[in-house]
């Protein structure tokens, strides 16, 4: 509301905040348990952002009240926060999966707690951030990543799986953003740089036909075999990598900067293309990419020669791995990766690495635009190189967020244009997310027209998706990235290397 100049609406919301009594939850019919992660990124982050933009101490008071309620979550053996907090008894409580917490749920609080500690001067909030740094440093795997699921009480990993999508995403995001919030948090910076290299080396793959670059998960890091699953949630990653190159320029080598930026651009192209591939222009929640065919020689029966389970795992681990394709492209001028055709123009093949080249959307059995494939090929893999595992669109922000950040960090207008294409498919009057009443709803299947709505509008649609769409239409000096950092719900808080946040009087609404 502040950013959009909606002053009457903001004043009405301010009256609600004035009447809010966070420290007296027993007056409401709500259960006494609140989720630590969701409350931190949504409510605490929202109060801190409002204080950042207005300097109204009411918001800081509410943030501090909420912060105190959340502190009992850390009363665990490990020092990691529990899933829930009983705000009546002041005790940590397990979540729906007992003490099984996702990496993101356990570690995504440092940005908010750094801001709250700095604003209030209270060290208790910062102490939990310092404790988190120690836990992360001691639990990082040999490959520089972290297991996806943890026991929040003991701090031990519960699985061998590694991922950057759901249950993991913001845990990696906050490594960089904690350092941006506080440049003295160098341990978070260093962990981000090693983790970013590891994500690129272990989790990035390209599809066999269109050579779309994607990040997947690995159920067992000891074997390294990927699932080839790609989530909409993972589309935060290109924005994060681009922000890292933009802000860590003097800390990354030339090769790291180049590779991280290539990865950011390739992933962003894929996130955009998957949205544009659909009949609605909306991105599905999850797809599974095609596997590369085996390169093993065939026996007399015409089938690939059998191998041991270990050899099979190694073949699947390396098939389509992006770092291998990149190394081959860089190493030899007559590589298969330097050929044009379906992989881009011949000019691109010589100057742009595989997985980063321009992509043409493929709309199966639809007529949404010129130059798009209209053949009614099967709804499985087909020419797209993937099938829809979860075809719904949940109005998520990650694609728009990353395209916005790439525009801001590169100054290349093509990312702004691609971002607005995604926004139009969501919010345009003729868009498929818009209901006859003018409201917006999640959609059951992005490849089915007319669409079926689910009668649901998630909070992130307002906090993030619409905000990033608005920022795409705004000037580049609105919330400049060298002065603000967005938490994982799109709430801006100061980067503490910049001391002028409290002087921005134009945000103040009288």
């Amino acid at each position: 509301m502040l950013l959009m100049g909606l002053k009457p609406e903001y004043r009405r919301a301010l009256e609600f905040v004035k009447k809010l009594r966070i420290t007296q939850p027993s007056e409401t019919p709500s259960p006494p348990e609140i989720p630590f992660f969701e409350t931190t990124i949504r409510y605490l982050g929202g109060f801190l952002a409002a204080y950042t933009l207005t300097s109204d101490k009411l918001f800081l008071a509410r943030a501090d009240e909420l912060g105190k309620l959340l502190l009992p979550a850390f009363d665990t053996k490990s020092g990691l926060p529990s899933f829930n907090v009983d705000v009546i008894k002041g005790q940590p409580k397990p979540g729906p999966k007992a003490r099984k917490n996702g990496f993101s749920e356990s570690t995504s609080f440092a940005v908010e707690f750094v801001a709250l500690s700095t604003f209030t001067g209270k060290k208790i909030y910062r102490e939990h951030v310092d404790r988190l740094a120690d836990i992360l440093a001691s639990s990082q795997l040999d490959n520089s990543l972290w297991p996806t699921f943890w026991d929040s009480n003991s701090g031990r990993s519960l699985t061998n799986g590694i991922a950057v999508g759901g249950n993991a995403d913001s845990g990696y995001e906050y490594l960089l953003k904690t350092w941006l919030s506080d440049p003295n948090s160098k341990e978070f910076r260093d962990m981000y740089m090693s983790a970013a290299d590891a994500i690129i080396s272990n989790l990035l793959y390209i599809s066999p036909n269109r050579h779309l670059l994607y990040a997947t998960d690995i159920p067992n890091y000891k074997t390294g075999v990927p699932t080839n699953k790609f989530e909409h949630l993972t589309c935060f990653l290109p924005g994060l990598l681009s922000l890292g190159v933009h802000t860590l320029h003097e800390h990354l080598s030339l090769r790291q900067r180049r590779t991280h930026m290539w990865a950011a651009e390739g992933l962003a192209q894929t996130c955009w293309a998957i949205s544009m591939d659909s009949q609605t222009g909306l991105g599905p929640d999850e797809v599974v990419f095609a596997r590369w065919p085996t390169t093993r020689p065939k026996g007399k029966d015409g089938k690939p020669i059998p191998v041991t389970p270990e050899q099979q795992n190694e073949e699947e681990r390396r098939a389509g791995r992006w770092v291998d394709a990149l190394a081959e492209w860089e190493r030899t001028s007559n590589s298969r990766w330097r050929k044009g055709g379906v992989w881009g123009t011949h000019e691109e093949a010589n100057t742009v690495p595989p997985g980063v080249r321009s992509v043409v959307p493929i709309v199966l059995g639809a007529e949404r635009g010129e130059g798009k494939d209209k053949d009614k090929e099967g709804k499985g893999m087909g020419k797209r190189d993937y099938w829809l595992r979860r075809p719904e669109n949940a109005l998520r922000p990650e694609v728009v967020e990353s395209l916005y950040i790439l525009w801001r960090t590169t100054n290349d207008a093509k990312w702004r244009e691609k971002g607005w294409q995604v926004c139009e498919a969501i919010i345009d009057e003729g868009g498929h997310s818009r209901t006859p009443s003018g409201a917006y709803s999640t959609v059951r299947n992005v490849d089915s027209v007319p669409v079926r709505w689910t009668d649901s509008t998630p909070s992130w649609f307002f906090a993030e998706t619409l905000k990033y769409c608005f920022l795409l239409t705004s000037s580049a000096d609105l919330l400049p990235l060298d002065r603000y950092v967005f938490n994982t719900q799109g709430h801006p808080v100061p980067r503490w290397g910049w001391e002028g946040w409290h002087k921005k009087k134009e945000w103040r609404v009288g």
Side-chain angles (χ1 to χ4, degrees):
M1 295 178 190
L2 288 169
L3 294 175
M4 295 180 181
L6 303 176
K7 294 185 179 182
E9 291 83 356
Y10 166 75
R11 292 193 185 98
R12 288 201 298 271
L14 184 61
E15 290 303 312
F16 174 81
V17 176
K18 287 179 180 178
K19 298 174 182 177
L20 192 61
R21 292 295 178 266
I22 296 175
T23 54
Q24 298 176 12
S26 58
E27 295 180 355
T28 72
S30 303
E33 295 179 8
I34 59 174
F36 176 86
F37 169 65
E38 302 292 353
T39 303
T40 297
I41 64 175
R42 284 171 166 75
Y43 297 98
L44 182 58
F47 287 139
L48 291 168
Y51 179 63
T52 298
L53 299 178
T54 65
S55 296
D56 188 330
K57 292 184 178 179
L58 170 67
F59 294 118
L60 182 57
R62 292 291 180 263
D64 193 22
E65 290 171 16
L66 185 54
K68 291 175 183 176
L69 281 180
L70 292 171
L71 286 176
F74 295 97
D75 293 340
T76 60
K77 292 180 181 179
S78 66
L80 289 172
S82 59
F83 187 90
N84 287 326
V85 183
D86 186 323
V87 294
I88 300 296
K89 298 179 179 178
Q91 296 176 348
K93 289 288 184 179
K97 298 179 181 179
R99 292 197 297 264
K100 185 178 180 181
N101 279 16
F103 177 61
S104 56
E105 294 165 336
S106 297
T107 61
S108 304
F109 62 86
V111 170
E112 293 83 5
F113 274 50
V114 164
L116 186 56
S117 178
T118 308
F119 280 142
T120 63
K122 295 181 179 180
K123 296 181 180 180
I124 184 64
Y125 300 119
R126 179 64 203 221
E127 288 171 358
H128 291 294
V129 176
D130 295 337
R131 173 61 178 148
L132 175 63
D134 294 337
I135 295 171
L136 288 173
S138 64
S139 58
Q140 199 168 14
L141 299 172
D142 291 341
N143 62 13
S144 296
L145 300 174
W146 286 269
T148 305
F149 290 102
W150 301 37
D151 183 317
S152 60
N153 191 50
S154 69
R156 296 177 181 175
S157 64
L158 296 176
T159 67
N160 289 332
I162 53 176
V164 286
N167 295 303
D169 44 9
S170 56
Y172 290 102
E173 178 186 356
Y174 271 32
L175 295 174
L176 175 64
K177 291 186 175 181
T178 300
W179 175 71
L180 293 178
S181 299
D182 176 13
N184 293 319
S185 302
K186 296 179 181 179
E187 61 273 37
F188 285 94
R189 177 200 67 195
D190 294 343
M191 285 188 285
Y192 166 76
M193 291 191 294
S194 63
D197 285 338
I199 290 169
I200 290 171
S201 297
N202 293 280
L203 301 181
L204 295 197
Y205 286 77
I206 52 178
S207 65
N209 298 307
R210 295 171 77 190
H211 291 181
L212 298 174
L213 182 63
Y214 64 97
T216 190
D217 60 332
I218 294 175
N220 187 344
Y221 68 85
K222 295 180 180 180
T223 65
V225 177
T227 64
N228 302 106
K229 179 179 71 175
F230 183 55
E231 301 175 68
H232 191 292
L233 288 168
T234 309
C235 285
F236 86 98
L237 185 57
L240 179 67
L241 290 171
S242 181
L243 184 62
V245 173
H246 181 70
T247 57
L248 289 166
H249 193 273
E250 63 186 62
H251 301 287
L252 297 171
S253 68
L254 175 60
R255 182 173 183 80
Q256 282 178 309
R257 294 199 300 271
R258 184 179 62 180
T259 304
H260 289 204
M261 201 62 221
W262 277 340
E265 292 179 353
L267 289 167
Q269 286 268 24
T270 299
C271 292
W272 168 81
I274 290 177
S275 293
M276 295 299 105
D277 281 352
S278 76
Q279 292 193 30
T280 59
L282 304 172
D285 217 42
E286 193 175 296
V287 304
V288 176
F289 277 94
R291 295 181 181 272
W292 284 71
T294 181
T295 57
R296 276 182 278 139
K298 296 181 180 180
K300 294 181 179 180
D301 59 358
K303 297 179 180 180
I305 295 175
V307 295
T308 65
E310 291 76 16
Q311 291 172 322
Q312 179 72 27
N313 287 341
E314 180 65 10
E315 179 181 320
E316 292 181 7
R317 184 178 71 87
R318 298 186 68 92
R321 196 169 62 168
W322 184 58
V323 289
D324 295 333
L326 181 61
E328 183 182 338
W329 176 80
E330 292 180 311
R331 187 170 56 247
T332 173
S333 61
N334 62 353
S335 160
R336 57 178 171 156
W337 301 109
R338 291 188 180 271
K339 298 177 181 178
V342 297
W343 302 311
T345 65
H346 289 284
E347 182 181 357
E348 269 195 319
N350 279 314
T351 59
V352 182
V356 190
R357 297 164 195 166
S358 57
V359 178
V360 177
I362 295 176
V363 184
L364 302 180
E367 297 183 359
R368 280 202 302 106
E370 293 297 324
K372 297 177 181 179
D373 193 298
K374 303 183 179 89
D375 293 339
K376 289 191 176 182
E377 193 157 332
K379 296 297 182 180
M381 293 292 183
K383 295 182 179 180
R384 288 179 172 175
D385 259 5
Y386 61 82
W387 59 276
L388 306 187
R389 187 170 185 265
R390 294 182 59 188
E392 65 269 22
N393 176 273
L395 298 173
R396 295 190 188 277
E398 285 77 16
V399 176
V400 180
E401 172 189 359
S402 278
L403 294 171
Y404 165 72
I405 293 175
L406 260 82
W407 165 53
R408 292 287 301 278
T409 53
T410 67
N411 291 318
D412 190 335
K414 76 176 182 182
W415 300 114
R416 188 185 201 183
E417 293 165 4
K418 289 180 184 297
W420 188 244
Q421 281 182 290
V422 176
C423 289
E424 280 189 313
I426 299 172
I427 65 176
D428 190 68
E429 187 172 349
H432 293 285
S433 296
R434 188 160 176 166
T435 68
S437 66
Y440 294 90
S441 172
T442 54
V443 169
R444 294 187 186 278
N445 190 329
V446 299
D447 253 351
S448 178
V449 178
V451 298
R452 292 174 60 202
W453 296 296
T454 63
D455 195 26
S456 171
T457 308
S459 64
W460 58 68
F461 175 66
F462 298 101
E464 299 180 81
T465 307
L466 290 180
K467 183 183 294 175
Y468 286 119
C469 286
F470 174 76
L471 290 173
L472 278 169
T473 69
S474 306
S475 63
D477 59 356
L478 183 64
L479 295 179
L481 297 180
D482 61 339
R483 298 181 178 183
Y484 298 96
V485 59
F486 292 96
N487 87 334
T488 196
Q489 277 288 297
H491 298 306
V493 294
R495 290 182 58 180
W496 294 106
W498 176 58
E499 299 297 335
W501 64 268
H502 58 286
K503 298 178 181 179
K504 288 189 69 65
K505 295 181 180 179
E506 62 265 33
W507 296 126
R508 301 180 188 179
V509 181

